[in-house]
Short mmCIF file of all heavy atoms in Angstrom, two decimals:
data_model
loop_
_atom_site.label_atom_id
_atom_site.label_comp_id
_atom_site.label_asym_id
_atom_site.label_seq_id
_atom_site.Cartn_x
_atom_site.Cartn_y
_atom_site.Cartn_z
N LEU A 510 13.25 -57.42 -19.91
CA LEU A 510 14.31 -58.22 -20.52
C LEU A 510 13.70 -59.27 -21.40
O LEU A 510 12.97 -60.17 -20.80
CB LEU A 510 15.18 -58.86 -19.37
CG LEU A 510 16.30 -59.74 -19.82
CD1 LEU A 510 17.26 -58.97 -20.78
CD2 LEU A 510 17.06 -60.35 -18.70
N ASN A 511 13.85 -59.20 -22.65
CA ASN A 511 13.29 -60.06 -23.59
C ASN A 511 14.34 -60.96 -24.24
O ASN A 511 15.12 -60.41 -25.13
CB ASN A 511 12.41 -59.33 -24.72
CG ASN A 511 11.19 -58.71 -24.17
OD1 ASN A 511 10.53 -59.32 -23.32
ND2 ASN A 511 10.77 -57.56 -24.63
N LEU A 512 14.39 -62.16 -23.90
CA LEU A 512 15.35 -63.09 -24.47
C LEU A 512 14.76 -64.29 -25.15
O LEU A 512 15.46 -65.20 -25.56
CB LEU A 512 16.47 -63.54 -23.42
CG LEU A 512 17.16 -62.53 -22.68
CD1 LEU A 512 18.11 -63.13 -21.68
CD2 LEU A 512 17.93 -61.59 -23.55
N TYR A 513 13.47 -64.25 -25.31
CA TYR A 513 12.75 -65.41 -25.90
C TYR A 513 12.98 -65.74 -27.30
O TYR A 513 13.54 -64.94 -28.06
CB TYR A 513 11.14 -65.20 -25.63
CG TYR A 513 10.58 -64.09 -26.33
CD1 TYR A 513 10.11 -64.08 -27.60
CD2 TYR A 513 10.53 -62.89 -25.62
CE1 TYR A 513 9.50 -63.07 -28.24
CE2 TYR A 513 9.79 -61.71 -26.30
CZ TYR A 513 9.34 -61.87 -27.46
OH TYR A 513 8.83 -60.73 -28.11
N LEU A 514 12.70 -66.92 -27.69
CA LEU A 514 12.91 -67.47 -29.12
C LEU A 514 14.33 -67.26 -29.58
O LEU A 514 14.65 -66.67 -30.61
CB LEU A 514 11.98 -66.70 -30.05
CG LEU A 514 10.47 -67.08 -30.02
CD1 LEU A 514 9.45 -66.12 -30.75
CD2 LEU A 514 10.27 -68.47 -30.72
N ASN A 515 15.22 -67.88 -28.79
CA ASN A 515 16.67 -67.99 -29.21
C ASN A 515 16.96 -69.39 -29.00
O ASN A 515 16.19 -70.35 -28.95
CB ASN A 515 17.43 -67.05 -28.29
CG ASN A 515 17.54 -65.61 -28.93
OD1 ASN A 515 18.01 -65.34 -29.85
ND2 ASN A 515 16.89 -64.82 -28.11
N GLU A 516 18.35 -69.73 -28.91
CA GLU A 516 18.90 -71.03 -28.62
C GLU A 516 19.67 -71.05 -27.35
O GLU A 516 20.60 -71.65 -27.15
CB GLU A 516 19.70 -71.40 -29.87
CG GLU A 516 19.10 -71.43 -31.16
CD GLU A 516 18.05 -72.44 -31.27
OE1 GLU A 516 18.12 -73.48 -30.57
OE2 GLU A 516 17.05 -72.35 -32.04
N LEU A 517 19.14 -70.30 -26.38
CA LEU A 517 19.89 -70.24 -25.21
C LEU A 517 19.88 -71.61 -24.31
O LEU A 517 18.86 -72.26 -24.34
CB LEU A 517 19.29 -69.15 -24.17
CG LEU A 517 19.36 -67.70 -24.73
CD1 LEU A 517 18.56 -66.76 -23.87
CD2 LEU A 517 20.73 -67.25 -24.77
N THR A 518 21.01 -71.90 -23.66
CA THR A 518 21.10 -73.08 -22.87
C THR A 518 21.52 -72.79 -21.47
O THR A 518 21.62 -71.57 -21.15
CB THR A 518 22.12 -74.05 -23.53
OG1 THR A 518 23.35 -73.35 -23.76
CG2 THR A 518 21.69 -74.39 -24.96
N GLY A 519 21.94 -73.75 -20.72
CA GLY A 519 22.39 -73.46 -19.35
C GLY A 519 21.27 -73.13 -18.46
O GLY A 519 20.05 -73.18 -18.79
N SER A 520 21.55 -72.66 -17.26
CA SER A 520 20.52 -72.43 -16.22
C SER A 520 20.27 -70.93 -16.07
O SER A 520 21.00 -70.09 -16.68
CB SER A 520 21.02 -72.89 -14.88
OG SER A 520 22.33 -72.34 -14.59
N ILE A 521 19.20 -70.64 -15.49
CA ILE A 521 18.85 -69.25 -15.15
C ILE A 521 19.78 -68.79 -13.98
O ILE A 521 19.77 -69.39 -12.95
CB ILE A 521 17.38 -69.03 -14.77
CG1 ILE A 521 16.45 -69.41 -15.88
CG2 ILE A 521 17.09 -67.57 -14.35
CD1 ILE A 521 15.02 -69.52 -15.48
N PRO A 522 20.65 -67.80 -14.30
CA PRO A 522 21.68 -67.45 -13.18
C PRO A 522 20.90 -66.94 -11.96
O PRO A 522 19.81 -66.19 -11.96
CB PRO A 522 22.45 -66.40 -13.77
CG PRO A 522 21.66 -65.83 -14.90
CD PRO A 522 20.77 -66.92 -15.40
N SER A 523 21.40 -67.28 -10.77
CA SER A 523 20.72 -66.82 -9.38
C SER A 523 20.85 -65.28 -9.38
O SER A 523 20.05 -64.71 -8.67
CB SER A 523 21.36 -67.40 -8.29
OG SER A 523 22.85 -67.16 -8.22
N GLN A 524 21.81 -64.71 -10.06
CA GLN A 524 21.93 -63.30 -10.02
C GLN A 524 20.80 -62.54 -10.58
O GLN A 524 20.71 -61.30 -10.41
CB GLN A 524 23.24 -62.92 -10.71
CG GLN A 524 24.61 -63.27 -10.06
CD GLN A 524 24.98 -64.65 -10.36
OE1 GLN A 524 24.29 -65.43 -11.07
NE2 GLN A 524 26.13 -65.08 -9.95
N ILE A 525 19.87 -63.12 -11.28
CA ILE A 525 18.76 -62.51 -11.80
C ILE A 525 17.92 -61.92 -10.72
O ILE A 525 17.14 -60.95 -10.86
CB ILE A 525 17.96 -63.58 -12.61
CG1 ILE A 525 17.26 -62.82 -13.71
CG2 ILE A 525 17.02 -64.40 -11.80
CD1 ILE A 525 16.86 -63.68 -14.94
N GLY A 526 18.05 -62.41 -9.51
CA GLY A 526 17.29 -61.94 -8.39
C GLY A 526 17.66 -60.60 -7.88
O GLY A 526 16.95 -59.93 -7.11
N THR A 527 18.80 -59.96 -8.39
CA THR A 527 19.31 -58.64 -8.01
C THR A 527 18.62 -57.58 -8.93
O THR A 527 18.87 -56.42 -8.75
CB THR A 527 20.75 -58.58 -8.09
OG1 THR A 527 21.28 -58.81 -9.39
CG2 THR A 527 21.36 -59.57 -7.12
N MET A 528 17.92 -58.03 -9.94
CA MET A 528 17.27 -57.01 -10.82
C MET A 528 16.04 -56.52 -10.30
O MET A 528 14.87 -56.93 -10.69
CB MET A 528 17.09 -57.71 -12.23
CG MET A 528 18.34 -58.08 -12.89
SD MET A 528 18.12 -58.46 -14.72
CE MET A 528 16.89 -59.72 -14.64
N SER A 529 16.14 -55.71 -9.30
CA SER A 529 14.99 -55.38 -8.40
C SER A 529 13.89 -54.61 -9.02
O SER A 529 12.84 -54.45 -8.48
CB SER A 529 15.47 -54.65 -7.18
OG SER A 529 16.18 -53.44 -7.54
N ARG A 530 14.14 -53.94 -10.20
CA ARG A 530 13.19 -53.15 -10.85
C ARG A 530 12.41 -53.88 -12.04
O ARG A 530 11.63 -53.25 -12.65
CB ARG A 530 13.79 -51.78 -11.28
CG ARG A 530 14.34 -50.91 -10.19
CD ARG A 530 14.79 -49.56 -10.74
NE ARG A 530 15.35 -48.73 -9.67
CZ ARG A 530 15.74 -47.52 -9.81
NH1 ARG A 530 15.59 -46.93 -11.06
NH2 ARG A 530 16.26 -46.85 -8.81
N ILE A 531 12.85 -55.14 -12.19
CA ILE A 531 12.30 -55.73 -13.51
C ILE A 531 10.72 -55.85 -13.42
O ILE A 531 10.26 -56.30 -12.32
CB ILE A 531 12.98 -57.08 -13.63
CG1 ILE A 531 12.69 -57.70 -14.98
CG2 ILE A 531 12.50 -58.11 -12.51
CD1 ILE A 531 13.70 -57.37 -16.07
N GLU A 532 10.10 -55.62 -14.49
CA GLU A 532 8.67 -55.78 -14.51
C GLU A 532 8.24 -56.82 -15.55
O GLU A 532 7.17 -57.45 -15.39
CB GLU A 532 7.98 -54.39 -15.01
CG GLU A 532 8.23 -53.31 -13.83
CD GLU A 532 7.72 -52.01 -14.35
OE1 GLU A 532 7.22 -51.87 -15.47
OE2 GLU A 532 7.72 -50.97 -13.62
N THR A 533 9.07 -56.98 -16.58
CA THR A 533 8.84 -58.08 -17.64
C THR A 533 10.03 -58.89 -17.80
O THR A 533 11.12 -58.28 -18.12
CB THR A 533 8.32 -57.49 -18.95
OG1 THR A 533 7.08 -56.73 -18.72
CG2 THR A 533 8.16 -58.52 -19.91
N LEU A 534 10.01 -60.21 -17.71
CA LEU A 534 11.11 -61.10 -17.84
C LEU A 534 10.49 -62.23 -18.86
O LEU A 534 9.67 -63.02 -18.41
CB LEU A 534 11.60 -61.72 -16.61
CG LEU A 534 12.82 -62.68 -16.78
CD1 LEU A 534 14.03 -62.17 -17.41
CD2 LEU A 534 13.12 -63.19 -15.32
N ALA A 535 11.05 -62.30 -20.08
CA ALA A 535 10.51 -63.30 -21.02
C ALA A 535 11.64 -64.10 -21.54
O ALA A 535 12.55 -63.53 -22.35
CB ALA A 535 9.88 -62.56 -22.11
N LEU A 536 11.71 -65.37 -21.07
CA LEU A 536 12.85 -66.32 -21.51
C LEU A 536 12.25 -67.46 -22.20
O LEU A 536 12.94 -68.53 -22.45
CB LEU A 536 13.49 -66.82 -20.19
CG LEU A 536 14.08 -65.76 -19.22
CD1 LEU A 536 14.80 -66.43 -18.12
CD2 LEU A 536 14.99 -64.85 -19.95
N TYR A 537 11.05 -67.45 -22.71
CA TYR A 537 10.41 -68.64 -23.27
C TYR A 537 10.91 -69.11 -24.62
O TYR A 537 11.69 -68.23 -25.28
CB TYR A 537 8.89 -68.49 -23.37
CG TYR A 537 8.35 -67.39 -24.33
CD1 TYR A 537 8.21 -67.67 -25.74
CD2 TYR A 537 8.10 -66.12 -23.94
CE1 TYR A 537 7.71 -66.76 -26.52
CE2 TYR A 537 7.61 -65.20 -24.81
CZ TYR A 537 7.42 -65.42 -26.12
OH TYR A 537 6.93 -64.55 -26.93
N SER A 538 10.72 -70.27 -24.95
CA SER A 538 11.13 -70.87 -26.23
C SER A 538 12.64 -70.76 -26.46
O SER A 538 13.24 -70.25 -27.38
CB SER A 538 10.40 -70.18 -27.38
OG SER A 538 9.02 -70.34 -27.36
N ASN A 539 13.38 -71.39 -25.43
CA ASN A 539 14.79 -71.57 -25.52
C ASN A 539 15.07 -73.03 -25.14
O ASN A 539 14.17 -73.79 -25.29
CB ASN A 539 15.58 -70.56 -24.66
CG ASN A 539 15.65 -69.15 -25.16
OD1 ASN A 539 16.39 -68.99 -26.18
ND2 ASN A 539 14.93 -68.26 -24.67
N ALA A 540 16.28 -73.31 -24.76
CA ALA A 540 16.56 -74.66 -24.27
C ALA A 540 17.23 -74.51 -22.83
O ALA A 540 18.26 -75.24 -22.58
CB ALA A 540 17.52 -75.35 -25.22
N ILE A 541 16.68 -73.64 -22.10
CA ILE A 541 17.30 -73.43 -20.66
C ILE A 541 16.95 -74.70 -19.79
O ILE A 541 15.84 -75.14 -19.86
CB ILE A 541 16.67 -72.15 -20.11
CG1 ILE A 541 17.10 -70.87 -21.10
CG2 ILE A 541 17.18 -71.80 -18.70
CD1 ILE A 541 16.35 -69.61 -20.66
#
Side-chain angles (χ1 to χ4, degrees):
L510 179 59
N511 290 324
L512 302 180
Y513 60 89
L514 285 168
N515 278 291
E516 301 294 332
L517 294 173
T518 57
S520 60
I521 300 173
S523 60
Q524 290 83 354
I525 210 158
T527 62
M528 298 193 301
S529 58
R530 297 189 184 183
I531 195 89
E532 295 175 358
T533 298
L534 177 60
L536 307 181
Y537 66 88
S538 296
N539 281 287
I541 299 171

